[in-house]
Structures are given as C-alpha cells and as structure tokens.
Amino acid sequence: MRVKCVICDALNDIPDFSPLAKKLRNRPTHTYMCPSCQDRITEKTNARLATGNFRFIRRAVQEEEEF
C-alpha cells in the first residue's frame, strides 16, 4: 500500500496486510506519518517535557484518577 506522509509529503510503501495499513483503510480520519517525521516530533516533545513548562495532558489518566 502506498502512503503519503502528512507533514513532509514523502511517499512510502507499507505491507498491504499490516495493522497500520488496515487502520488507514478502515478509518479515514487516521493519517500516516513517516518514521523520520515521527522521530523528530517525539524528540521535540520530549525536549519540551524536560523543560518543566509543558504539561502533557492525557484525558484517560485524568478520568481514571477522578474515580
């Protein structure tokens, strides 16, 4: 399956029967990010978390704590 990165517009091939391909076919709201873009975003997010000024809010964790 040919996929296009939403950030850098790079074209990649992924196996047709991989879980990622199935997710992209069945749920059109999900988008594909190439590994290099995903690594870059991960590094920048971790750098922001390390500063202490960035709060990483996860909704599911907050809802579990309320109960």
Side-chain angles (χ1 to χ4, degrees):
M1 174 178 195
R2 291 182 54 113
V3 290
K4 186 176 186 179
C5 178
V6 295
I7 296 175
C8 66
D9 294 332
L11 294 174
N12 293 338
D13 289 325
I14 59 173
D16 287 335
F17 297 106
S18 68
L20 178 61
K22 184 177 179 182
K23 182 170 67 170
L24 292 172
R25 272 194 309 269
N26 292 337
R27 298 184 182 104
T29 58
H30 288 157
T31 56
Y32 174 78
M33 240 187 322
C34 64
S36 62
C37 288
Q38 190 160 359
D39 292 341
R40 188 180 76 238
I41 290 174
T42 301
E43 289 174 10
K44 290 186 178 191
T45 301
N46 289 335
R48 283 196 307 266
L49 283 170
T51 63
N53 296 328
F54 179 75
R55 288 183 48 199
F56 193 66
I57 299 173
R58 292 187 176 150
R59 254 189 120 91
V61 174
Q62 290 177 348
E63 291 174 1
E64 289 177 4
E65 291 175 357
E66 291 176 2
F67 289 111

